[in-house]
Amino acid sequence: MKKAFVTKEQAERIASQFPTPFHLYDEQGIRANAEAVKKAFSWNPGFREYFAVKATPNPVILDILGQYDFGTDCSSLTELMLSKAAGILGDRIMFSSNDTPAEEYTYANELGAIINLDDITHIDFCEKACGGRLPETMSCRFNPGGVFQMSNGIMDNPGDAKYGMTEAQLFDAFRILKEKGVKNFGIHAFLASNTVTNEYYPQLAGQLFELAVRLQKETGAKIRFINLSGGVGIPYRPDQEPNDIAAIGEGVHQAYDAILTAAGMGDVAIYTEMGRYMMGPYGALITRVIHEKHIYKEYIGVDACAVNLMRPAMYGAYHHITVLGKEDAPLDHVYDVTGSLCENNDKFAIDRELPRIEMGDLLFIHDTGAHGFSMGYNYNGKLRSAEILLQSDGTPRMIRRAETPADYFSTLDILGLDLEK
Ligand SMILES: *Cc1c(COP(=O)(O)O)cnc(C)c1O
């Protein structure tokens, strides 16, 4: 059973202050989860979560996570600027980019970020962008190729992914970086996305720990950290079992003792770059039903559309829907829940069993806290919604206003047109 983190009464109260649609975030949930993550890895004194900014790029959210001494994982100029605005600087920034423009390496270096190189050819490129001198701490991204398999089958396909270096390139890269004066090394890999199993991090960790032992032995590079990156998933579907972060942390701990500590490398720090796991369940898209339509299927039209939440249209992703106030009503209707884009994939749900929906009902679309608002766009001239934080004391705080037509037209200012209503 998936439960909404607000009641109909609470949601209506918030909607009377801030018109729908909006993304709503649950501060209590965010904080409890952040504490659980910290505790799960507390066996590792150097542990740090670098929150993947692209999941929820809002400085207030970054600030909340920063209070747990977490850092940020950035991969663009504006993400770096956001991290700076939230006061997260220096080695609390991991710059894990790919196909990186030179000026972004320059800026990351100015902020003192840890730079994670996606490719061996980026060594010279980055050195130039950093004014001819690489920072003392550098990380490299690894791609083992092939498929990534766990006990329940193939999870993902690194061999088809554009990211990272081959193993041979990684060994060469560490030798070259060491010759160029780099003193502290890190290894990073992201091999599977949205893994709803406790096995992913421990298995990835085991693979990276063995690689780290060989790398340090053969290249003499001092490995300071191993970055397990993102990919820890959440149960979007009500029948899925949530991950147990304590079990995941313990699984990584066992691999650490067996491989790193045994090889005399018990001082290596563990880093993570989780986005989805940190924020996904603690956000929801709140939208109001404005139309119903009975043709060859039954349609419910809402005031949000795919520009507010792209995942269903883009990946066919499932997002659970609660009709607020009808949590216990029988699921005796089947609907397509649609937005207003002139695109037939603009459907938040297809053939979904739901209680009978009436005009004016509020829908709580679950698990939009990560990769929700942030994937928004402006197709059909639709505007991005507000983001509202439901604070721990129960009061709502607007942490991003909704776009207005003036925002949409702002890049046409060079034409001097009259774009008034
Ligand atoms: C997207 C991304 C993450 C976060 O992934 P989640 O699946 O949200 O945990 C972390 N690191 C990098 C480099 C990414 O691109």
Side-chain angles (χ1 to χ4, degrees), residues 50 52 54-55 73 75 96-97 116 141 163 188 190 192-194 201 229-232 273-277 370-371:
Y50 288 85
K54 72 167 189 259
D73 158 32
S75 64
S96 286
S97 58
N116 180 32
R141 184 164 182 167
Y163 310 106
H188 169 282
F190 189 160
S193 204
N194 192 30
Y201 261 4
S229 190
V232 178
E273 291 175 341
M274 292 182 279
R276 196 183 313 272
Y277 189 80
H371 313 295

Side-chain angles (χ1 to χ4, degrees), residues 210-230:
E210 278 169 10
L211 178 66
V213 172
R214 283 188 288 127
L215 267 168
Q216 182 159 309
K217 203 177 285 172
E218 289 176 34
T219 67
K222 178 69 195 157
I223 293 172
R224 299 287 185 188
F225 63 86
I226 289 174
N227 184 346
L228 302 176
S229 190

